Amino acid sequence: MPTTHCPYCALQCAMHLEPGPAGALTVYGADFPTNRGGLCRKGWTATDTLNLPDRLTRPLVRHRGNLVPTDWDDALETIAGRLRRLRHAHGPDSVAVFGSGGLTNEKTYMLGKFARLALATSQIDYNGRFCMSSAAAATNRAFGLDRGLPFPLTDLAGARVVLLAGTNPAETMPPMMGHLSSPALIVVDPRRTATAQAAVDNGGLHLAPRPGTDLPLAQGLLHAARTAEWLDDDYIAQRTTGFEAAWAQAASWWPEHTERITGVPAHHIRTAADLLGRAAYHGSAYVLTGRGAEQHSTGTDTASAWIDLALALGLPGRPGSGYGCITGQGNGQGGREHGQKADQLPGYRHITDPAARAHIARVWGVAPCTLPGPGRPAAELFDALGTTHGPRALLVMGSNPAVSAPDTTRVRERLSDLDFLVTTDFVPSETVQLSDVVLPVAQWAEESGTMTNLEGRVLRRTRAQAPPPGVRTDLQVISALAVRLGQPADRFPTDPDTVLRELGRASQGGKADYSGVSPEQVDSGRPVYWPVTASASDETEPSSTPRLFLDQFAHPDGRARFAAPVHLGPAEHTDEYYPLWATTGRLMGHYQSGAQTRRVDELNHAEPEAHVEVHPETAARAGLSQGGWARLLSRRGSVLARVRLMHTARHDTVFLPFHYAHGQAANNLTHAALDPVSGMPEFKVTAVRIEPASAPTTEGHL
Ligand code: SF4
């Protein structure tokens, strides 16, 4: 039985796929350090996506308003012809590319190369901008390097205390909870999530701040920890810079003041600081953050505030302790390392760095001056589409921005205003339905490639069966388009192992160095954590780095940086028309925009429609009852959702999952207020009002 990995989240659980009597593949959990044989319901049903009744198997082109089947030559020539004409008339930046944190490392790398060489456009970004860009910016700022967990996940099991800020692994990656059964948990989340409930049930704490106030809560904890004398003064002196500035910010957040702003009782802040501080004193505490901390217009600063707390307690770069960020998408880590970000070249190199440009140009066999400069981050890119100053064509690979981008009504308008929209996908997603040309591509178990999981571990997804006839891989699509746009074929190989070797050369010397990652090493069964530098001779093993920062951080002076962020709060405010906060997140049974999981019968039956969690008193004031339908309205749009009364909900906050489309799309409400450093939108805080509504039509249209 071949071993492969789940198509969904960053835990990248291992599984065996075995053909049943009828030929369809069945999933068996495989022993692997992150999942130890366990899977969540998405993993157990993952092979259902291979046999969907509406699977795309033929290229489609829009003809008289409808998408109609065509052959590959026609589809590819249509795309190349349109892109050539647009570039000729409006310049290379008239064509944009949008990638995904779900793509393999090889596709990520080739997509960036395709944009910079075949299209010569600067306009490329990806949906990971919506996922973990704020923590990436914060960890780069603090440590000089961004790897989600700078230690193996298995290290968590030995901790005394783990603080989880804005992450809900009990629902989003359940096998991870197996690593969290021994430590006491402190969960920071406006909702009483399954993770928060597990913390309370096992003697830990749930701190439920008002949405948008995580930053002062982190600084309040720092204040309480210093007052209780839990800070590690030796570590601060020897391994960091900037503590005094951080303390200057935290000094004003004494617990009673923090309680007034966050709503978290002062005695809970002191208890949490003692719990965490005592564990830190014993060298056995972790601080982990997720999207709840990041998806704000101040997301980088909020993640930085949690890092400042971890640094003050002496956690990062210590055996048995640490700070980490839990990545969301399957290749959220590798997806941001190899060149599909607007500002980045492979190896986590910055595109404006002359030395980085020279190195990549050498590997690609072009002159450095031919490489375009930085483009726009995702939300700005979408805002510019189809406008007089923005791209007029977009190629989307492995993403569904018509559901997953903020303020989707506006995004759909922008997509509709394009001259030309091309999508590669295996299901007719909401973005596919807006496209002019659709290319049907292979999916996870039908092709090989590497992923980098939340620990920075490079692993192999193995091909278990051939794709359906008529379907090509994304690498084949990229290569065919590049050749039609005038590139030599050998510059765009289609074999994943050939691409991985080139990626290794391109990343050599960069922060995310994969130069020692070979197909043979990935298949050897030995753990491969980047950076993996190539050995000087063939006789020695390439190095692998399970734990980062043990001796020094990645800044030139070896020291970590405190950020000392200032609390600014959300970009918009509640008022008499929009008196509640809405926050969004994931369910156990669905993944991202739901384009895959809403098509899996078992998952769809379990969670077939959007719901909104509301406190019973809030619901009663709005005239809502359990199981009825509610309309939520923000300053941008509205959503229909079925009411779930939750006694544990905050009175001022409602929660919506973001996996649904059309009139049930949570992102109809959200807005594209961006973090100025990371470009991440503020998904987590939206001012709304809620009112009774009648049931939606079949698609949830309003
Ligand atoms: Fe594991 Fe995540 Fe897949 Fe669930 S979705 S089986 S947690 S990798």
Side-chain angles (χ1 to χ4, degrees), residues 76-249:
L76 293 168
E77 200 45 53
T78 301
I79 296 168
R82 290 291 298 274
L83 298 188
R84 265 195 304 266
R85 288 194 290 278
L86 280 168
R87 294 176 64 228
H88 181 72
H90 305 288
D93 278 357
S94 64
V95 179
V97 175
F98 194 67
S100 166
L103 300 176
T104 62
N105 291 320
E106 294 79 8
K107 295 181 189 182
T108 295
Y109 171 77
M110 265 309 156
L111 191 64
K113 185 177 180 182
F114 172 80
R116 272 67 182 240
L117 295 192
L119 297 173
T121 182
S122 67
Q123 303 295 295
I124 177 170
D125 210 50
Y126 81 124
N127 64 13
R129 186 72 69 174
F130 302 151
C131 189
M132 211 191 115
S133 53
S134 289
T139 50
N140 272 319
R141 185 157 75 181
F143 310 131
L145 191 73
D146 154 42
R147 196 180 90 186
L149 297 187
F151 47 79
L153 190 66
T154 45
D155 284 5
L156 295 175
R160 289 187 177 212
V161 173
V162 176
L163 184 148
L164 297 156
T167 178
N168 180 19
E171 284 179 272
T172 58
M173 39 180 75
M176 181 176 163
M177 293 303 281
H179 301 279
L180 297 173
S181 55
S182 296
L185 302 181
I186 303 169
V187 175
V188 178
D189 200 307
R191 297 171 65 212
R192 178 63 64 92
T193 61
T195 310
Q197 191 62 52
V200 172
D201 292 345
N202 292 296
L205 277 174
H206 174 209
L207 311 181
R210 189 172 289 122
T213 64
D214 311 40
L215 192 159
L217 178 59
Q219 294 184 330
L221 285 164
L222 174 52
H223 189 290
R226 189 180 203 197
T227 304
E229 300 187 355
W230 290 121
L231 300 199
D232 189 332
D233 296 330
D234 290 343
Y235 174 98
I236 291 169
Q238 291 162 15
R239 300 204 59 186
T240 72
T241 60
F243 173 73
E244 289 311 320
W247 176 248
Q249 291 304 323

Side-chain angles (χ1 to χ4, degrees), residues 405-411 413 571-573 578 580-582 632-639 665-673 682-683 685-689 702:
D407 191 3
T408 39
T409 306
R410 179 158 171 78
V411 167
E413 281 172 15
E572 70 173 3
H573 301 282
Y578 303 101
L580 297 171
W581 292 118
L632 290 95
L633 302 99
S634 76
R635 296 180 175 98
R636 289 154 294 281
S638 60
V639 165
N667 283 320
N668 293 347
L669 303 174
T670 57
H671 63 147
E682 188 153 75
F683 290 108
V685 196
T686 303
V688 298
R689 69 173 181 272
L702 299 174

Side-chain angles (χ1 to χ4, degrees), residues 6 8-13 15 38-40 42-44 172-175:
C6 176
Y8 299 115
C9 85
L11 202 56
Q12 283 299 287
C13 297
M15 53 175 64
L39 300 169
C40 76
K42 294 191 289 291
W44 289 119
T172 58
M173 39 180 75

Side-chain angles (χ1 to χ4, degrees), residues 295-668:
Q295 290 177 330
H296 300 275
S297 57
T298 56
T300 303
D301 280 350
T302 303
S304 290
W306 290 111
I307 294 172
D308 279 3
L309 173 65
L311 286 172
L313 292 168
L315 308 184
R318 278 257 177 91
S321 295
Y323 164 83
C325 174
I326 299 176
T327 312
Q329 292 192 85
N331 200 25
Q333 183 69 52
R336 65 179 184 272
E337 296 166 355
H338 300 302
Q340 62 177 336
K341 277 180 79 178
D343 54 356
Q344 195 185 81
L345 291 172
Y348 223 126
R349 290 182 160 88
H350 205 278
I351 200 164
T352 58
D353 174 5
R357 294 171 66 84
H359 173 80
I360 296 300
R362 202 161 41 245
V363 174
W364 288 353
V366 299
C369 62
T370 62
L371 299 178
R376 297 174 168 97
E380 284 180 25
L381 178 63
F382 281 110
D383 219 29
L385 294 177
T387 64
T388 50
H389 58 281
R392 307 174 80 106
L394 178 69
L395 168 63
V396 178
M397 184 166 280
S399 185
N400 187 17
V403 174
S404 62
D407 191 3
T408 39
T409 306
R410 179 158 171 78
V411 167
R412 290 170 69 89
E413 281 172 15
R414 297 266 54 85
L415 292 172
S416 301
D417 282 350
L418 285 167
D419 292 359
F420 194 53
L421 176 61
V422 181
T423 311
T424 76
D425 212 323
F426 54 88
V427 290
S429 72
E430 289 71 19
T431 306
V432 163
Q433 289 162 24
L434 297 172
S435 300
D436 297 293
V437 181
V438 180
L439 301 176
V441 289
Q443 48 171 316
W444 63 290
E446 298 165 348
E447 58 183 346
S448 175
T450 62
M451 311 284 282
T452 304
N453 79 349
L454 77 172
E455 313 163 279
R457 183 197 298 256
V458 187
L459 45 85
R460 165 89 79 181
R461 275 201 193 147
T462 312
R463 175 173 145 142
Q465 68 176 29
V471 164
R472 297 188 182 182
T473 67
D474 284 310
L475 289 178
Q476 289 171 329
V477 167
I478 291 169
S479 179
L481 284 175
V483 169
R484 278 175 166 78
L485 291 168
Q487 291 290 310
D490 61 358
R491 193 176 270 172
F492 289 88
T494 59
D495 168 49
D497 286 355
T498 306
V499 178
L500 179 62
R501 289 191 181 91
E502 182 183 315
L503 181 162
R505 291 195 299 280
S507 71
Q508 188 159 23
K511 286 183 176 178
D513 189 332
Y514 280 48
S515 58
V517 180
S518 65
E520 296 74 25
Q521 195 199 14
V522 173
D523 292 339
S524 70
R526 291 188 297 275
V528 182
Y529 296 88
W530 72 258
V532 189
T533 50
S535 59
S537 75
D538 289 342
E539 277 110 54
T540 55
E541 285 289 321
S543 67
S544 172
T545 318
R547 293 174 187 82
L548 293 165
F549 313 137
L550 293 179
D551 299 321
Q552 59 178 11
F553 294 98
H555 287 299
D557 62 2
R559 288 171 172 263
R561 309 278 192 266
F562 282 91
V566 178
H567 175 53
L568 299 175
E572 70 173 3
H573 301 282
T574 53
D575 60 18
E576 59 182 308
Y577 301 107
Y578 303 101
L580 297 171
W581 292 118
T583 187
T584 66
R586 285 167 51 187
L587 303 175
M588 185 187 293
H590 285 296
Y591 181 68
Q592 303 300 77
S593 78
Q596 293 141 278
T597 52
R598 282 186 275 121
R599 291 177 158 81
V600 174
D601 285 345
E602 181 180 326
L603 303 178
N604 197 44
H605 286 152
E607 294 285 359
E609 60 199 7
H611 70 266
V612 55
E613 293 179 4
V614 196
H615 190 278
E617 290 177 20
T618 307
R621 273 199 300 279
L624 303 169
S625 56
Q626 171 75 15
W629 283 88
R631 176 180 286 104
L632 290 95
L633 302 99
S634 76
R635 296 180 175 98
R636 289 154 294 281
S638 60
V639 165
L640 288 179
R642 199 183 282 279
V643 175
R644 278 189 200 170
L645 300 182
M646 302 290 285
H647 284 87
T648 55
R650 290 181 57 94
H651 288 69
D652 60 358
T653 304
V654 299
F655 167 80
L656 290 137
F658 56 64
H659 310 294
Y660 300 92
H662 304 296
Q664 296 184 37
N667 283 320
N668 293 347

